[in-house]
Amino acid sequence: KKQLLMEASRASVDQVLEAIADAVLQCVMFQAEAEETGAKLSSPDTTPLVASIRFLTDLAAKKALQWAELGDPKMQEEMEETARVVREAAHSISEEVKNIASNPINRNAKRNLLRSSKTLMQKTVVLLQLADMYDIRQIIRLAKETKEKNAELDVCTTLPEFADLVREYIFTSQSLGKTVDVRVGYIVDPVLKKKLEKPNSVIYALPEQQVYQVSFILQGQPADPMKKAEYKDAVDLAADEIVRVTKETAATLFAGLDLDIPTDEDDDDTLPERMTKLSPFFAEVSRVQSAFGELSSAVMRGEKASAMAQCQSIAAMIAGLDIDDSDLDMRLAAQRLADAMRDLFGATRAVLANPHDLKAKAEFDRCMAVVDGITNDMNNRSVGAISDPVVAHGEAVQQALAQMQGALVMADRAVIHGAVGVVSKAVGALLNDLDADSKDRLREALANVAGALKDLTDSSSAYGANPRDYAALERAQKAIGALAGAANIIVDRVSPATGGLDLGDQMQIAAAKSLQALGAVVPSIQQSPEAVVSAIKTLNSATGAQASLARLMAENDAVMLSNVMDVSGKMAQALQYTVMGVKRASAQPDDPQARQELSRALAMLGEHIEGLASVVLEPSDQLFDIHSRLQQALDDLEKAVKRGDLKAAEKAQNDLTSAIKAQLTLAKSLTDKYPQGKADILNACRGMAAALNSLNGFTQAALSNPRDRAAQERFAQAHAALSAAALALTESGANAAAGTARGSNNGVPPTQSWMLLNAARIDDLSRLLDDLIVKGKKADAMATSAVLEKAINKQVTLAKMAAAKTVNVALQRSLLDVSNQLAHAMSGLSDHTIEAATSNDPRAKAQLDEQLRRIAKLNADLMAGTLTAAEASASLDALADALQNVVRGIGTVSGSSYTDLLAVVDALAQEIELGKYVASQCKDPARKAQIENALKAAGNVLQNLRSATANLRKNPHDASLHRQIQEYLSDASKTSRVLSNLCAAPVEEQLVSNGVSLNRDIAGANDALSKGDVAAFKSRADDASRKVLQQITNARDVAANSAHYHPALHRILLTSADRLQELQPEYNRAVGAAAANPGNSQAKADVARVGKSIVDENNKIVDAAKRVIAKEQPPAAPRLDVSRVTTVTAASDVLAQATRNLRPDNTPLGRIHAASKSIGNSMAKLSAAAQRGDKKAMIEAARELATQVNELTRHANSVAQTCSDVETRDKLMSMAVAGKNFGTQLKILCAVKASTEGTDQTAEGQLVTCAKGLVSSVLECLNYGEIAALKK
């Protein structure tokens, strides 16, 4: 330790702090023993401490001079003053130790020793952070200068200027890179290291490449302007990322300690007067809002350092918001935001200074609400302008009209004239957004706008000239109303309709619109310049709307949002390349290179459009979409082989390979995300790979010998095998995802649940398509048709899955036949027919209506083929129970209720589909009419709830919306239960239906096992096992009800139910053994034997079943929640609960378990000692903790060394390093607390914060340790 302190210039911050903390703890222990015994004691040698502190403060003096060179005398003075206090405290400790050694009862000496120890510990922390802040400021300054030189180089136009700029740019960027290298060198956390190394590699590599590009351009040599722009943006982004991660490293080093030193050069409560730094508003504001959440959490926990760091982060991010000076509302909002932020920073300090002051807490909450409201408003305006100009400019018209109304109230001529100008400008911007097709459709609305604007101009001018002309005032107000209404009509008819769809389908429609707009670009070049402008405008609007929707979908998932921002940036860049390519191709239509560049840009943009959708869509949706592509390629290959068409076969094989690669890539990501389904997915992947190899060989043979019947037969078998393998992979992947999907615990089997949801989706998309055709919205209708085709393809795939599960050949054929008819029904919805129908062609409209009716009927027929009326009633009842549980769990609606609301929407949509089927099978006219009325009411509630839920994602803090949704939830609960009761099957049918289905599943499982299809066997056997449990429950319910009037039935039901309960676990064991070894004849025989016994007992129950009552669900298991911890005792209890069932052993993972349990025990000792005020016990517990955390880190390193997954390895070590950091800080805070007389609320709060941080790190270390041990 002494040697370490003497080499402080090379030691890490946590090592210096720990060493000094050890020395202080030794002195405090000496004081406590002297206080306890009153006898003369051997005093600790303080010479090394004093010498080390002197050496440390000498280094601080050098750093203080560097502050002066940086131009910050305030920080220089603070560092010099802090170093002086540290030296005096160390000297005082040395003197008081001598005084106590000579006079153990000297109370003043003891008191002074404690005070000096506390001062030394606290000020050493401050001194080290001040030194660290110099490095941070240096990096911030160099990053800023690098960006400035980057910008100057980008606009450089002369060679003499270029030479000077190159020297400055390269020098500055390389200086930044070297400074960052130094910081990387002493950061221990591997995750933070990589976060800094990645952007720093860009800073080292790209400036030189950028210089070459600029040089070529200035000298007239061939160059790529796109590369130049790409390099510039990459360097700017890398510099920003370096600054952000550097601040994160500082926060990590000093997390939990009481520090209040600004990271940036600006004071922590000061914002720049003009917030005009360029950066994408929508990206920054999402980070700002995330930081607000962190600030609120930090304040609630009393973590001053973290709270003030968040204040600094928020200030920096707000300073980077892109404010349009021409937008008066945005400038005023920016000023309001600056004022509100100052109030918020003040309120933050007040709460931290006195955490128990309710008035200060209320003021903090008020300030948070104000700031949140302003940023949401600014975000909505900015995102609207970026994503959908029509919507943004429509809102601008309404705001301008509101200003106009205010100007009329003021009755000031100049103000009125200015307001009229604002309205005219807003209306002009709105009309300029419309393409030729929209203008043609909206002739009447446009005429109304023109007339209302003229009336407003004339009447307001007359009123401004004569404020007593009340007739003119009345005309002006009437014109305002007319103009507002006409603008709303334009926005409504031009903006994309959603029809109450969920965000996933809205994204698919948005992506389809983007791709359609992309496809219209090249044809527009062959038409006219006006057509080109209209096509680009449409493409810009479509891609912007898609990007905006993607950000909305990802806002609560940091990783997804990061991916969305990455792809959105690439999409924006590809759009820029497309515009440049269009300009060049238009100017040089015969230039092949221009056409080639445009093709590349279009392909790149198309790839990013599809990539953005894939980032936010559910994995199961992507699986089914890829499967549809794969199946289409297989169908094309089959046709080509039959025709002997080599070229078509080659294309089909390429498409097939592409689809399989996509499916395997997605399957790999699913195994990482859903490890519970990994085995099934990997088995399916292996099966598909084998089937593909077989098909490739037989395809060549069949093409080479078209008349060879044997070759054709082998090809057909291989084709069927690959189709089945692809279906198995899709199902296994979707099954894995279903275990974590919303509504996955609704009691309905996955395939049936998917079919129900997808059936509802097909109905909704069909209704929306019909509505869009009536309104004449061609682009939206064509995009919706494309998504409807995907939904139908998914239903066809699900029908094939259902058919594969049944052993009833007739039912299997029926399902496949109906699914094929459904697939062919889409051919009647061609783009040509939709285009004609939207143009009011009555014949085309009639054709579309007929096709949509046919699709609806076939969709219903598919559901009829998969379940009986009794099964539908049982599923509906399970869904109703699940819906009630979710609604109860939501409680009071808030912005965080979104995911649970989606589960309610899904459950109600499935209930409606099941209710339709029950109604179609109902023979009682009166009951059928009741069900249909209930379905109508449920449909209205579903539409209202869907629309309100979508609005909640956009406006999470709208209290009136929360109240409205609360009412809709109440309506959903009532209509759900009414529908469930009306559709309830007669009691005897429920037991009979479930019993028949159980027998069918056991027969299907036996059949699959005999064929060697392990995945199908396991799936059918699991279904059978679940239905056995259902039969047991139902049979016992009937037995309870029948005891008083039918003793024989009572005995049969109870006896058979008891026997089924004995057989069910025996069946599960036999299934597990057979699945593990499917070739074992004894395992097969055991499955058949136990299955037959279950069928025998089930048949007795079915025969006896006359009155059945069903169902109950277990409560959810409690979860550990560190965030609610408010004491060290509670933190140690959480860790004890988490480690209670761990079994330490001599493996590296077992030693992690042992260290984790020991840490929990020592934390309990520390808590008890702190409560007693026992300084010695506190110090001993703190030392134990530090030792155990070091042990945990050492064992975590051993586990990490054997882990093959780099990301898991880094995260494990990151958590271990974080734990060690918190352990050191606990030791520091124990030193402060032990050297404090009385109670120090700040130290108490920090001790709790560090304890929580340590527990969280240990828990994460355990989690990643388990994962790393599996990934050897």
Side-chain angles (χ1 to χ4, degrees):
K1 293 289 186 182
K2 298 174 189 175
Q3 183 64 26
L4 172 62
L5 280 169
M6 295 305 294
E7 296 177 357
S9 60
R10 294 195 297 277
S12 66
V13 169
D14 60 328
Q15 288 174 318
V16 174
L17 285 171
E18 186 176 10
I20 295 178
D22 285 339
V24 170
L25 283 173
Q26 188 179 9
C27 293
V28 175
M29 181 72 86
F30 170 69
Q31 184 273 346
E33 289 175 349
E35 184 75 24
E36 185 179 305
T37 63
K40 288 190 176 183
L41 302 170
S42 175
S43 61
D45 183 8
T46 58
T47 306
L49 174 64
V50 174
S52 301
I53 291 295
R54 186 181 301 118
F55 183 70
L56 193 60
T57 52
D58 287 344
L59 291 176
K62 296 176 183 177
K63 188 68 77 171
L65 292 175
Q66 291 178 321
W67 275 117
E69 293 169 4
L70 202 58
D72 195 333
K74 180 181 174 183
M75 297 298 280
Q76 178 189 9
E77 291 170 9
E78 184 160 356
M79 193 156 196
E80 289 172 344
E81 174 61 17
T82 304
R84 182 189 65 77
V85 172
V86 167
R87 277 196 300 270
E88 290 179 356
H91 179 71
S92 173
I93 288 172
S94 179
E95 292 301 311
E96 300 304 346
V97 165
K98 293 175 184 175
N99 291 336
I100 294 171
S102 61
N103 183 6
I105 60 172
N106 186 335
R107 302 196 66 81
N108 286 335
K110 294 174 185 176
R111 189 179 300 113
N112 289 339
L113 176 59
L114 290 182
R115 289 174 180 169
S116 297
S117 297
K118 180 177 180 178
T119 300
L120 176 67
M121 200 68 260
Q122 290 179 322
K123 292 300 181 180
T124 299
V125 171
V126 173
L127 191 64
L128 286 167
Q129 199 201 24
L130 284 166
D132 192 55
M133 284 303 100
Y134 171 81
D135 296 338
I136 296 172
R137 295 272 183 91
Q138 184 79 335
I139 288 173
I140 292 172
R141 181 179 64 80
L142 287 170
K144 182 180 178 182
E145 290 177 2
T146 297
K147 290 176 68 175
E148 288 171 353
K149 297 302 176 186
N150 188 13
E152 291 175 21
L153 182 66
D154 190 56
V155 297
C156 178
T157 56
T158 65
L159 284 172
E161 179 189 13
F162 172 73
D164 292 336
L165 269 176
V166 168
R167 281 193 296 273
E168 294 170 1
Y169 183 34
I170 295 299
F171 175 77
T172 305
S173 60
Q174 295 301 303
S175 297
L176 173 61
K178 291 174 181 176
T179 307
V180 172
D181 279 343
V182 172
R183 191 164 188 82
V184 168
Y186 66 79
I187 291 172
V188 182
D189 189 323
V191 173
L192 288 178
K193 273 181 180 288
K194 289 185 177 180
K195 280 186 177 181
L196 266 181
E197 287 170 344
K198 185 176 179 181
N200 205 36
S201 65
V202 174
I203 293 296
Y204 272 128
L206 288 194
E208 187 176 349
Q209 298 297 324
Q210 187 182 356
V211 166
Y212 286 143
Q213 291 295 327
V214 174
S215 171
F216 293 155
I217 291 170
L218 292 178
Q219 295 176 49
Q221 298 179 22
D224 187 348
M226 293 184 183
K227 281 288 184 187
K228 174 193 163 191
E230 183 182 327
Y231 291 155
K232 177 187 180 299
D233 291 344
V235 170
D236 282 349
L237 289 172
D240 289 340
E241 184 67 4
I242 283 172
V243 171
R244 188 188 69 77
V245 178
T246 298
K247 292 178 182 179
E248 186 181 347
T249 62
T252 303
L253 284 172
F254 299 97
L257 297 176
D258 186 19
L259 303 167
D260 190 7
I261 302 171
T263 303
D264 290 320
E265 296 171 20
D266 300 321
D267 290 333
D268 54 358
D269 60 349
T270 304
L271 293 175
E273 291 182 7
R274 289 171 55 82
M275 298 188 293
T276 56
K277 294 181 182 178
L278 294 179
S279 65
F281 188 98
F282 55 81
E284 288 295 332
V285 86
S286 64
R287 290 171 57 197
V288 171
Q289 289 170 333
S290 174
F292 283 146
E294 293 295 329
L295 172 61
S296 180
S297 299
V299 169
M300 293 305 99
R301 296 192 300 266
E303 297 173 357
K304 185 176 181 182
S306 178
M308 299 316 297
Q310 289 301 331
C311 285
Q312 280 301 305
S313 178
I314 292 168
M317 287 185 280
I318 288 178
L321 299 181
D322 182 9
I323 307 299
D324 183 0
D325 283 341
S326 66
D327 189 332
L328 176 62
D329 286 333
M330 285 291 278
R331 282 194 285 120
L332 291 175
Q335 185 56 54
R336 290 200 311 275
L337 182 59
D339 295 339
M341 285 301 302
R342 292 187 181 94
D343 293 343
L344 177 60
F345 290 168
T348 300
R349 284 200 179 85
V351 174
L352 291 170
N354 191 352
H356 304 293
D357 186 340
L358 297 179
K359 188 175 179 182
K361 174 67 172 61
E363 176 62 12
F364 173 80
D365 290 342
R366 185 194 69 79
C367 292
M368 282 288 289
V370 170
V371 171
D372 192 40
I374 295 172
T375 52
N376 274 329
D377 179 56
M378 294 175 75
N379 186 39
N380 290 339
R381 293 174 190 275
S382 181
V383 169
I386 292 167
S387 63
D388 194 342
V390 174
V391 174
H393 289 139
E395 290 176 355
V397 169
Q398 302 300 335
Q399 291 158 10
L401 290 172
Q403 291 178 22
M404 184 75 232
Q405 197 73 265
L408 292 173
V409 172
M410 294 175 65
D412 183 292
R413 184 173 185 175
V415 174
I416 289 173
H417 179 72
V420 170
V422 172
V423 172
S424 299
K425 183 179 178 182
V427 170
L430 174 62
L431 300 185
N432 188 53
D433 289 326
L434 305 180
D435 55 23
D437 178 57
S438 297
K439 287 178 181 177
D440 186 53
R441 286 190 295 103
L442 298 169
R443 274 194 224 120
E444 184 180 347
L446 292 173
N448 291 340
V449 166
L453 184 60
K454 185 177 185 305
D455 290 345
L456 178 62
T457 304
D458 295 343
S459 56
S460 61
S461 177
Y463 180 65
N466 179 12
R468 295 184 179 180
D469 187 349
Y470 297 115
L473 174 61
E474 186 177 350
R475 289 197 308 275
Q477 289 176 332
K478 186 176 179 182
I480 288 174
L483 192 54
N488 278 334
I489 289 173
I490 290 173
V491 171
D492 178 58
R493 293 190 179 176
V494 172
S495 301
T498 62
L501 299 178
D502 68 14
L503 291 176
D505 278 332
Q506 290 184 42
M507 168 53 67
Q508 297 225 38
I509 290 174
K513 283 191 70 175
S514 295
L515 292 171
Q516 285 174 8
L518 188 68
V521 169
V522 172
S524 72
I525 297 174
Q526 299 164 359
Q527 295 169 11
S528 66
E530 292 77 13
V532 171
V533 171
S534 179
I536 291 297
K537 189 180 291 184
T538 302
L539 179 60
N540 184 48
S541 177
T543 53
Q546 184 190 358
S548 175
L549 182 59
R551 289 190 294 275
L552 179 66
M553 294 174 72
E555 65 182 0
N556 294 324
D557 185 327
V559 175
M560 184 187 289
L561 183 59
S562 174
N563 291 335
V564 164
M565 297 308 300
D566 180 49
V567 179
S568 295
K570 292 176 181 176
M571 194 161 76
Q573 192 174 51
L575 182 62
Q576 183 182 359
Y577 293 164
T578 299
V579 172
M580 293 170 64
V582 166
K583 288 180 180 178
R584 185 173 175 187
S586 299
Q588 305 169 33
D590 298 324
D591 184 350
Q593 186 176 356
R595 290 198 302 272
Q596 190 177 17
E597 286 182 6
L598 176 58
S599 296
R600 278 202 302 268
L602 291 170
M604 185 190 307
L605 182 53
E607 181 182 334
H608 294 321
I609 287 170
E610 292 180 341
L612 184 61
S614 68
V615 169
V616 295
L617 290 177
E618 292 287 339
S620 58
D621 286 334
Q622 296 179 57
L623 268 174
F624 284 105
D625 287 347
I626 294 170
H627 182 271
S628 297
R629 282 169 44 202
L630 189 152
Q631 192 60 52
Q632 183 61 55
L634 274 173
D635 292 346
D636 291 345
L637 180 61
E638 184 178 31
K639 292 172 185 174
V641 169
K642 283 182 179 178
R643 297 194 309 268
D645 188 335
L646 292 173
K647 189 172 182 180
E650 184 179 357
K651 181 182 182 305
Q653 283 184 304
N654 289 336
D655 292 344
L656 181 61
T657 302
S658 173
I660 288 175
K661 282 182 179 177
Q663 197 171 33
L664 291 175
T665 300
L666 185 56
K668 171 64 172 67
S669 68
L670 287 171
T671 60
D672 295 336
K673 192 171 184 180
Y674 309 113
Q676 73 276 12
K678 184 174 182 177
D680 289 341
I681 293 173
L682 291 180
N683 279 336
C685 286
R686 284 191 283 269
M688 194 158 81
L692 178 63
N693 289 335
S694 176
L695 179 66
N696 287 337
F698 292 135
T699 298
Q700 297 306 316
L703 284 168
S704 304
N705 304 287
R707 297 183 180 180
D708 186 339
R709 184 173 296 177
Q712 297 297 324
E713 218 171 282
R714 286 192 294 271
F715 167 78
Q717 291 172 353
H719 181 279
L722 182 55
S723 182
L727 192 66
L729 177 55
T730 301
E731 184 171 13
S732 60
N735 274 328
T740 56
R742 63 177 191 259
S744 58
N745 60 341
N746 60 21
V748 180
T751 303
Q752 182 182 320
S753 182
W754 295 331
M755 289 191 75
L756 287 168
L757 280 173
N758 204 51
R761 180 186 177 206
I762 290 171
D763 288 345
D764 290 338
L765 287 166
S766 298
R767 272 195 303 272
L768 177 59
L769 178 58
D770 187 49
D771 182 56
L772 292 170
I773 289 170
V774 170
K775 290 180 178 177
K777 293 186 174 182
K778 182 177 70 175
D780 288 318
M782 293 173 73
T784 303
S785 175
V787 179
L788 176 58
E789 183 174 7
K790 286 187 175 184
I792 286 175
N793 287 336
K794 180 176 180 179
Q795 200 72 336
V796 170
T797 302
L798 288 168
K800 289 178 179 176
M801 286 182 185
K805 289 176 180 293
T806 181
V807 292
N808 185 325
V809 177
L811 177 59
Q812 192 177 73
R813 286 175 181 167
S814 174
L815 283 171
L816 293 176
D817 180 55
V818 175
S819 66
N820 287 333
Q821 291 182 54
L822 185 59
H824 291 140
M826 271 306 298
S827 60
L829 300 180
S830 66
D831 288 350
H832 174 74
T833 307
I834 291 173
E835 187 172 359
T838 52
S839 302
N840 297 320
D841 182 334
R843 185 175 176 183
K845 179 67 171 66
Q847 182 181 343
L848 275 172
D849 288 343
E850 176 58 32
Q851 286 303 109
L852 289 176
R853 278 193 295 271
R854 186 160 182 260
I855 287 170
K857 182 182 182 305
L858 291 168
N859 196 23
D861 289 347
L862 264 186
M863 295 309 305
T866 57
L867 73 172
T868 65
E871 287 173 331
S873 300
S875 294
L876 204 154
D877 197 35
L879 285 163
D881 284 347
L883 186 147
Q884 304 296 330
N885 287 339
V886 176
V887 171
R888 280 194 294 271
I890 290 174
T892 302
V893 173
S894 66
S896 62
S897 305
Y898 178 76
T899 302
D900 288 333
L901 288 171
L902 290 180
V904 174
V905 166
D906 284 353
L908 189 56
Q910 291 180 74
E911 282 191 67
I912 290 171
E913 290 301 315
L914 288 166
K916 288 177 184 176
Y917 174 64
V918 172
S920 71
Q921 302 296 307
C922 184
K923 307 299 182 186
D924 181 348
R927 180 169 170 249
K928 183 173 184 178
Q930 287 179 315
I931 294 173
E932 287 174 344
N933 288 334
L935 285 169
K936 186 176 180 181
N940 291 335
V941 171
L942 177 63
Q943 191 75 3
N944 290 336
L945 188 56
R946 268 186 175 155
S947 298
T949 300
N951 288 335
L952 181 68
R953 193 62 178 262
K954 299 171 185 174
N955 306 290
H957 305 293
D958 187 337
S960 62
L961 179 60
H962 296 170
R963 289 191 294 272
Q964 186 182 55
I965 293 174
Q966 204 82 53
E967 293 175 7
Y968 291 155
L969 282 177
S970 176
D971 293 342
S973 295
K974 292 173 186 174
T975 56
S976 165
R977 187 49 70 195
V978 167
L979 190 59
S980 173
N981 291 338
L982 286 172
C983 293
V987 288
E988 67 275 13
E989 288 186 16
Q990 292 189 34
L991 258 186
V992 171
S993 173
N994 191 61
V996 170
S997 181
L998 168 59
N999 289 349
R1000 196 163 57 221
D1001 282 335
I1002 287 181
N1006 291 340
D1007 183 60
L1009 184 60
S1010 67
K1011 293 177 179 176
D1013 188 342
V1014 177
F1017 161 66
K1018 191 77 168 60
S1019 175
R1020 295 302 293 271
D1022 287 345
D1023 287 346
S1025 181
R1026 179 180 56 81
K1027 288 170 184 173
V1028 168
L1029 294 176
Q1030 187 63 62
Q1031 287 296 82
I1032 294 168
T1033 302
N1034 289 344
R1036 285 174 176 167
D1037 284 344
V1038 172
N1041 291 333
S1042 63
H1044 66 285
Y1045 65 89
H1046 201 317
L1049 176 63
H1050 172 81
R1051 285 194 299 273
I1052 291 170
L1053 288 169
L1054 277 185
T1055 302
S1056 293
D1058 290 344
R1059 179 62 180 142
L1060 280 182
Q1061 189 163 27
E1062 294 172 2
L1063 291 169
Q1064 196 257 355
E1066 188 178 348
Y1067 185 67
N1068 287 345
R1069 286 193 295 273
V1071 167
N1077 191 359
N1080 187 303
S1081 57
Q1082 183 59 49
K1084 289 182 181 180
D1086 288 343
V1087 170
R1089 175 181 54 78
V1090 182
K1092 183 178 183 304
S1093 298
I1094 288 175
V1095 169
D1096 291 342
E1097 296 301 330
N1098 181 50
N1099 286 337
K1100 294 176 187 177
I1101 289 175
V1102 170
D1103 291 339
K1106 300 297 179 183
R1107 296 163 184 88
V1108 176
I1109 283 180
K1111 299 196 172 109
E1112 63 185 72
Q1113 293 187 0
R1119 298 182 63 183
L1120 298 173
D1121 188 357
V1122 181
S1123 65
R1124 297 181 183 275
V1125 166
T1126 56
T1127 65
V1128 177
T1129 303
S1132 66
D1133 288 345
V1134 168
L1135 189 54
Q1137 184 181 351
T1139 58
R1140 183 175 296 127
N1141 296 321
L1142 295 181
R1143 295 289 181 268
D1145 54 39
N1146 287 327
T1147 65
L1149 182 60
R1151 288 192 283 269
I1152 287 180
H1153 291 173
S1156 301
K1157 290 173 81 77
S1158 299
I1159 289 170
N1161 294 335
S1162 294
M1163 284 185 70
K1165 291 181 186 176
L1166 176 62
S1167 173
Q1171 289 175 350
R1172 296 194 309 270
D1174 187 338
K1175 295 178 181 178
K1176 288 176 64 178
M1178 273 184 65
I1179 292 168
E1180 288 168 357
R1183 286 172 172 169
E1184 280 182 18
L1185 262 174
T1187 301
Q1188 288 153 0
V1189 171
N1190 286 338
E1191 284 294 298
L1192 178 69
T1193 305
R1194 187 165 63 83
H1195 299 319
N1197 185 57
S1198 299
V1199 173
Q1201 295 303 317
T1202 63
C1203 178
S1204 60
D1205 183 73
V1206 176
E1207 183 179 359
T1208 301
R1209 185 168 65 234
D1210 286 348
K1211 284 181 178 176
L1212 172 58
M1213 287 311 301
S1214 178
M1215 290 300 105
V1217 168
K1220 186 176 181 182
N1221 194 24
F1222 280 116
T1224 300
Q1225 291 174 25
L1226 266 175
K1227 189 188 292 186
I1228 293 166
L1229 290 170
C1230 283
V1232 172
K1233 184 171 176 58
S1235 56
T1236 300
E1237 295 179 292
T1239 302
D1240 184 337
Q1241 290 295 333
T1242 301
E1244 294 283 350
Q1246 291 167 342
L1247 202 59
V1248 172
T1249 299
C1250 276
K1252 286 168 64 176
L1254 178 57
V1255 169
S1256 295
S1257 299
V1258 172
L1259 293 179
E1260 288 300 312
C1261 203
L1262 285 169
N1263 291 338
Y1264 284 116
E1266 298 279 0
I1267 296 169
L1270 294 173
K1271 293 186 174 182
K1272 291 186 177 180

